[in-house]
Amino acid sequence: MRTVLFGLLFMAVSAVFTAALAKESDAEPVKGEANSPYPLEYWALRSVIDQVQVSPDGKYVSLMKIPSKAGDPIIEIYESANLSKEPFRLNADPMEIIGYGWVDDATIVFGARQQVRDRIDGFNRGVYENKIALLDLKRKKIRELDQPGATISSLLPAKPGKILISVVEGQTEGTGGAEAFRPRSYWEYDLKRGSKQLVIRSKIDRGNIRFDGQGKPWLSSGFDIAKGDFVWYIRPEGTKSWEEIYRLSEDSFEDFNVYGKDPNKPGNILVGAQNGNDKRGLWSFNYTTQEFDELVYQRNDVDIWGVRRDSNDWQNPDKIVAVSYFKDRFHYEYFDEVEGALYDQLESVIPWAHQVSVSSRSRDGNTLVISNSGPRDPGTYYLIHQGKVETIGSRQPLIDSEKLADVKYIQYKSRDGVMIPGFVHVPKGEGPHPLVVMPHGGPFVSEVVIYDEWAQMLANNGYMVLQPQYRGSQNYGLGFYKTAFIDGGTGGHMMQDDKDDGALYLVEKGMADPDRIAMFGWSYGGYAALIAASRSPQIYQCVIAGAAVTDNNLQVNYYRFRLRGAQKLEQLGFWDDSISPIEEVDKVNVPMLMIHGSVDQRVPPEHAKRYLEALADGNKNHKYMWLEGADHFSNTLFYDHKIKLYNAMIDYLQNDCGPGGLQAATVN
């Protein structure tokens, strides 16, 4: 079958790509000068289509779609053989659909949320409640899953008509996750009968349970409070007993991520771990001897990122086919020649191919949904069906790939000699360009720059954008990450130098104008922007601080007494010793725009309120804007939030940033 499929696939992807969906937005394309930037409404649109999937039998293609600027997502279901035919539409009004999946040939399970509070209840307590429901496509009926607090653990591809759900026992509707620390029970739910059967109950010391494609529990992990160890267990095939396979001290900064069973070594599992090294590698681990058997793949420049699984989840739900790493982009090293050849073919024909993925595939393997995303592609979906390829549509159909910015991967030397990676969005036209330094949040995260809406929006308006991977960023080894806090917090010190040195590097290369530099960031990135506003010597003409941590003690005190082990050393070592912006307001010497969501649960609004009061008391040049109803996270920024945010940013950069503003000499 696979040999035939490859012949068919080769002919199909050589065909002409054709548009398949009707108008995807009520925004109209603008016809104007070739070098004029797009209207900001284009960037403010949430993904017009997303989560495109094919039914298990290949007869239907489904997708989530936002049909209007301020609309909520709906699910549309098309016939694979005729995408031009009017689809079936599902709306969960007054709730908002947030995700879905095919359970069998005619049943979809979907999740929805609704804002039930106008203000946050506290740190990490949002304003939304979630529900799960089922769509019977044959009968065109919806049925709510009557199980408060349930989450979907697996769609059980090997068991059509059944799903695996987990429940925090004793939780009642409306608790909003207040009891989420309690162990969960896992149930196999029969969609037709509406009945459920207990599979297993977790315990505090084995709270995380993994299941295979058959719905059988095979891996668990938990925490040994007495010894301060994270512990992993395996349930051998045919047994109901758990066997301990590995311990890792809570004081360790190393990883032990189990990806799945080793396809080449029965009795082994594939794990991501340092095993005493600086960089995370892929290891074959013998769980019987409890030893690292073989180093499968490791690099000396970046960590491995993870693994890629077989593209046919229905037939091979547990099969691992490649290991991945991220540097200038995602790269894959394949163990499976068939899967490797499939992706080679797809990447050779997909326009602007960058991050190509088989996002969904039918049970027989003959119908595929392909997605691509990258600097020149906001996200496009294609359907391969009956020997032809059709373009389903784009997440942002009003954005032309030709007008998007190139992204360059750079490495520059910091003032103390350490090489710092970074990504630069380069606008059209001759440099030197005005520059916006845009550090990521976290700070202890791995930033992946594939298609970045904020950076592309700024580049489209003529601004070069630098995304520095400053020390503390993950993906570059334990030493690079730990330097940010292991000998005291370096926020406002060395970590800030890494950002500044990136700006100075671009100036030295003639790419950036030294008199037109700003910093914009969100969360920790907003914190960094506040630090930049009070630093000397002067580099930035202004800063824009979004959802910024303004008071280190206020932030860390939300969770200070729940921290343990390595996490305690990381968080307290960083926040307690780093510069706190609230204590440096008197040193602010550039104009500032502050932006904050009114229901931000991760960096509560109290941060902005205290800092704004201090700015006013100090008579500092500043503006501020509240995003009403916006939380900390991007999936709570709706069209109205984004258009307000983008208008404020561009207006501030052009008119209020420094003496003459950061006017772009040329635009995209």
Side-chain angles (χ1 to χ4, degrees):
M1 175 62 71
R2 291 197 176 190
T3 303
V4 174
L5 174 61
F6 264 79
L8 175 65
L9 181 63
F10 184 82
M11 291 186 294
V13 294
S14 299
V16 176
F17 286 79
T18 57
L21 286 186
K23 187 177 178 181
E24 291 151 327
S25 169
D26 60 2
E28 293 292 342
V30 168
K31 296 180 180 179
E33 297 297 327
N35 66 342
S36 62
Y38 281 124
L40 293 176
E41 297 92 50
Y42 285 23
W43 304 102
L45 290 173
R46 293 194 290 167
S47 293
V48 174
I49 66 169
D50 205 356
Q51 299 187 36
V52 183
Q53 301 176 35
V54 62
S55 62
D57 59 8
K59 292 182 179 180
Y60 301 102
V61 176
S62 56
L63 53 87
M64 277 178 50
K65 180 177 178 180
I66 301 179
S68 62
K69 291 179 181 178
D72 282 334
I74 62 175
I75 294 176
E76 292 189 338
I77 303 173
Y78 294 79
E79 293 182 6
S80 300
N82 186 5
L83 294 181
S84 62
K85 185 177 179 180
E86 188 73 8
F88 171 80
R89 293 183 173 89
L90 170 67
N91 191 336
D93 186 62
M95 301 193 76
E96 175 196 0
I97 298 173
I98 56 177
Y100 76 99
W102 287 89
V103 182
D104 57 31
D105 295 341
T107 308
I108 283 177
V109 60
F110 64 94
R113 69 179 181 182
Q114 185 172 9
Q115 185 172 341
V116 296
R117 291 178 289 276
D118 292 328
R119 62 182 63 187
I120 59 173
D121 289 342
F123 179 71
N124 274 0
R125 292 292 306 279
V127 297
Y128 290 93
E129 297 289 354
N130 296 346
K131 286 188 178 294
I132 299 173
L134 308 167
L135 166 65
D136 184 330
L137 188 57
K138 288 183 179 179
R139 300 164 61 191
K140 304 294 191 295
K141 288 189 175 182
I142 299 174
R143 175 164 55 87
E144 183 181 324
L145 185 64
D146 187 20
Q147 188 63 65
T151 59
I152 299 173
S153 298
S154 173
L155 296 180
L156 297 179
K159 293 186 174 182
K162 295 183 179 181
I163 61 174
L164 190 69
I165 64 171
S166 67
V167 179
V168 178
E169 295 188 335
Q171 180 170 305
T172 57
E173 188 170 1
T175 58
E179 300 175 284
F181 65 90
R182 296 176 58 184
R184 289 182 170 266
S185 60
Y186 296 83
W187 302 76
E188 187 175 280
Y189 192 91
D190 189 307
L191 301 179
K192 292 183 179 179
R193 297 179 180 178
S195 60
K196 64 179 193 266
Q197 180 179 354
L198 179 66
V199 177
I200 193 170
R201 283 188 170 91
S202 65
K203 299 180 180 179
I204 291 178
D205 61 347
R206 285 198 299 274
N208 302 307
I209 298 179
R210 292 258 296 273
F211 299 82
D212 62 19
Q214 304 289 329
K216 297 178 182 178
W218 73 279
L219 181 77
S220 67
S221 62
F223 187 67
D224 185 333
I225 297 177
K227 296 184 177 180
D229 289 338
F230 296 101
V231 190
W232 284 260
Y233 306 86
I234 268 186
R235 176 183 276 192
E237 189 74 28
T239 73
K240 291 189 176 182
S241 59
W242 292 101
E243 295 181 2
E244 180 182 318
I245 62 168
Y246 192 74
R247 282 180 174 262
L248 186 66
S249 170
E250 66 175 333
D251 297 324
S252 175
F253 289 97
E254 292 197 8
D255 298 322
F256 187 81
N257 297 321
V258 180
Y259 296 124
K261 298 176 182 178
D262 188 335
N264 299 316
K265 286 191 174 183
N268 281 28
I269 54 178
L270 291 176
V271 303
Q274 285 83 10
N275 192 24
N277 299 299
D278 180 62
K279 304 294 192 296
R280 181 172 58 246
L282 182 68
W283 298 80
S284 182
F285 183 83
N286 188 315
Y287 55 79
T288 301
T289 64
Q290 301 183 21
E291 294 179 344
F292 291 91
D293 236 10
E294 178 189 1
L295 178 59
V296 179
Y297 189 81
Q298 191 171 43
R299 301 184 62 82
N300 59 13
D301 50 358
V302 293
D303 296 327
I304 67 154
W305 186 270
V307 297
R308 172 168 269 177
R309 300 184 186 278
D310 193 279
S311 59
N312 194 328
D313 188 54
W314 299 102
Q315 296 289 347
N316 305 302
D318 304 315
K319 186 178 179 181
I320 296 172
V321 299
V323 60
S324 64
Y325 67 92
F326 182 81
K327 193 174 179 180
D328 56 328
R329 57 181 293 177
F330 272 114
H331 297 268
Y332 297 89
E333 298 290 338
Y334 285 90
F335 318 136
D336 187 294
E337 292 183 2
V338 173
E339 287 286 301
L342 167 64
Y343 278 100
D344 284 344
Q345 290 184 359
L346 293 173
E347 290 173 4
S348 70
V349 294
I350 296 293
W352 306 104
H354 188 84
Q355 177 61 10
V356 178
S357 176
V358 179
S359 57
S360 181
R361 194 169 186 176
S362 62
R363 192 182 293 108
D364 65 9
N366 293 327
T367 304
L368 302 87
V369 171
I370 311 300
S371 65
N372 179 59
S373 182
R376 292 298 191 98
D377 187 347
T380 306
Y381 292 94
Y382 305 92
L383 175 68
I384 298 177
H385 182 70
Q386 295 181 348
K388 65 177 181 178
V389 176
E390 294 182 88
T391 303
I392 296 174
S394 170
R395 290 192 181 109
Q396 297 294 346
L398 302 181
I399 303 296
D400 184 354
S401 294
E402 294 288 348
K403 295 191 70 173
L404 291 172
D406 284 328
V407 177
K408 296 184 181 297
Y409 174 76
I410 64 170
Q411 289 182 297
Y412 56 90
K413 188 176 290 187
S414 68
R415 64 193 65 184
D416 61 354
V418 174
M419 296 303 295
I420 307 298
F423 298 87
V424 182
H425 283 70
V426 183
K428 296 290 175 65
E430 295 295 324
H433 300 282
L435 173 67
V436 176
V437 179
M438 192 172 79
H440 62 74
F444 309 117
V445 299
S446 306
E447 184 174 34
V448 177
V449 179
I450 297 177
Y451 172 80
D452 191 300
E453 180 179 293
W454 289 357
Q456 288 286 358
M457 181 274 294
L458 288 167
N460 186 248
N461 281 273
Y463 299 96
M464 178 174 286
V465 180
L466 168 66
Q467 292 167 275
Q469 305 307 298
Y470 50 83
R471 273 168 281 194
S473 302
Q474 296 184 336
N475 188 46
Y476 304 99
L478 287 176
F480 193 85
Y481 149 63
K482 291 164 61 177
T483 304
F485 59 84
I486 202 68
D487 293 320
T490 62
H493 304 292
M494 182 177 64
M495 291 170 71
Q496 198 74 17
D497 293 341
D498 291 345
K499 306 171 185 66
D500 297 349
D501 291 344
L504 296 175
Y505 169 83
L506 294 176
V507 169
E508 180 185 348
K509 292 295 182 181
M511 299 170 68
D513 184 338
D515 297 321
R516 294 186 293 166
I517 303 178
M519 182 179 286
F520 160 62
W522 198 266
S523 194
Y524 166 83
Y527 162 89
L530 297 182
I531 295 295
S534 60
R535 284 181 63 83
S536 181
Q538 188 62 55
I539 295 176
Y540 305 95
Q541 276 64 64
C542 72
V543 301
I544 301 175
V549 173
T550 69
D551 186 329
N552 295 10
N553 282 329
L554 176 65
Q555 184 66 16
V556 79
N557 282 346
Y558 290 125
Y559 48 82
R560 179 185 296 273
F561 300 106
R562 294 179 300 194
L563 297 170
R564 297 178 57 123
Q567 188 184 54
K568 182 176 182 179
L569 183 56
E570 175 199 80
Q571 291 292 311
L572 300 189
F574 175 73
W575 289 112
D576 283 353
D577 291 340
S578 294
I579 292 176
S580 185
I582 196 74
E583 298 173 1
E584 301 263 318
V585 176
D586 62 315
K587 298 179 182 178
V588 170
N589 55 12
V590 296
M592 175 187 302
L593 170 63
M594 290 193 69
I595 303 165
H596 217 100
S598 67
V599 292
D600 190 325
Q601 60 176 299
R602 183 59 56 87
V603 181
E606 185 66 20
H607 277 275
K609 293 175 182 177
R610 292 186 184 187
Y611 196 81
L612 287 169
E613 183 177 340
L615 287 173
D617 289 344
N619 216 14
K620 299 296 181 179
N621 183 351
H622 73 282
K623 290 185 176 181
Y624 66 91
M625 181 177 71
W626 291 99
L627 297 177
E628 291 299 326
D631 199 343
H632 192 74
F633 311 104
S634 59
N635 66 351
T636 69
L637 296 181
F638 297 95
Y639 175 83
D640 288 345
H641 298 136
K642 291 167 70 175
I643 192 63
K644 188 176 181 181
L645 170 65
Y646 295 162
N647 274 312
M649 287 174 59
I650 297 301
D651 179 71
Y652 195 79
L653 289 172
Q654 291 180 348
N655 300 308
D656 297 296
C657 188
L662 256 67
Q663 294 287 344
T666 57
V667 293
N668 197 1

